[in-house]
Amino acid sequence: MSKLNLNQEIKKIENTLKQLIQSEDSTLQSAADHLLSSGGKRVRPLFVILSSHVGENPANDATYRVATALELIHMATLVHDDVIDYSDKRRGRLTIEKKWDQPTAILTGNFLLARALEHLSYIQDSRIHQTLSSAIIEVCRGELFQFQDQFRAEQSITNYLRRINRKTALLMQLATEVGAMSSQADTETIRKMRDIGHHIGMSFQIVDDVLDFTSTEKKLGKPVGSDLRNGHMTLPVLLAMKHHVELKEKVATLTPNSPTEDFDWCIEQIRQSKSISQSLEVSQKYLDKASALLETLPKNEIKPHFRKLIKRLQNRMN
């Protein structure tokens, strides 16, 4: 396990992904290539492979199938997300909808999902299929709740946490849970891995939501404050509104057609508020829970690699 090379694993994942997105249709092929070549940290596949090392049969065929299929599912949700949000850019490049059109974007997302399911179909373990399909239903529900919550200023932090659990943490949780499952880990270890993935996923999304305000358009690959401009009430917004009456009143008036200056003013208020550091504290608490659980795992050789990945997630703020 100590010889596990994460860079080599990423190369292996990239090569498989390139093969999986091959299509006889040139438009689908070009759109999928565009998405794949725009990068991505491949965090989910790495977590699948790492998590498999808690079991008796690490990094087997089922592990790699889950790892690449999960990334395809993640990519599909990003494409559909961009359609729902009318996003122009993703990671600094035009979204598929913007570069082609909406039908092409929707069909590309569907194509990636279909490829993922096809790739998973060779796995014998029915638990893996049941776990994946249940979680994907929840991811869809998360997308629906996000859509229904757009531009709704009156919502609770609990509501936000439930939404990001379904939207982001679930795929991370799947990565660690099914990774452990694929290697015949025991039930207790699988449960621990599931919880580790959940905590990391929650932390990951909160940091993303903070970076949306604190980073630059160049680093984000999209305009600063895109979430708020799309009507998504993230943790920094909800916390800032608690102590800033004028901001709360202004956010309550925002619509998709509000003047850019209104959004800019709100974004600047949030950037300057304590809600940024408060959000990061919440994110850190989730990472602390993941780290504490990590220490209770039976196999020590997996821990340094997980710590390294957790550290990498923490460093995204620097």
Side-chain angles (χ1 to χ4, degrees), residues 187-204:
T187 309
E188 177 63 13
T189 304
I190 291 171
R191 188 189 60 76
K192 283 182 181 177
M193 293 310 299
R194 178 181 185 273
D195 290 347
I196 287 170
H198 165 75
H199 296 319
I200 290 172
M202 293 295 280
S203 170
F204 187 88

Side-chain angles (χ1 to χ4, degrees), residues 301-317:
E301 59 268 33
I302 190 181
K303 295 172 188 176
H305 295 280
F306 255 104
R307 285 193 207 107
K308 195 174 175 183
L309 275 175
I310 288 172
K311 193 88 178 155
R312 199 192 293 177
L313 295 183
Q314 284 174 316
N315 289 341
R316 288 161 70 223
M317 284 310 303

Side-chain angles (χ1 to χ4, degrees), residues 38-97:
S38 67
K41 303 169 203 72
R42 312 297 181 227
V43 174
R44 290 154 200 84
L46 280 178
F47 277 151
V48 174
I49 294 159
L50 265 183
S51 301
S52 76
H53 285 267
V54 297
E56 298 307 310
N57 183 20
N60 57 58
D61 181 64
T63 306
Y64 284 104
R65 284 184 182 276
V66 169
T68 44
L70 256 190
E71 190 67 3
L72 288 177
I73 292 166
H74 170 59
M75 286 163 65
T77 63
L78 296 183
V79 178
H80 288 162
D81 234 8
D82 290 339
V83 170
I84 292 164
D85 287 340
Y86 305 105
S87 300
D88 291 347
K89 284 187 172 183
R90 163 79 60 183
R91 294 173 185 144
R93 301 174 74 182
L94 289 176
T95 58
I96 291 176
E97 180 180 3

Side-chain angles (χ1 to χ4, degrees), residues 165-181:
N165 175 41
R166 287 191 172 104
K167 189 175 177 293
T168 303
L170 255 170
L171 285 183
M172 292 280 200
Q173 178 181 305
L174 264 184
T176 52
E177 180 182 14
V178 180
M181 213 178 262

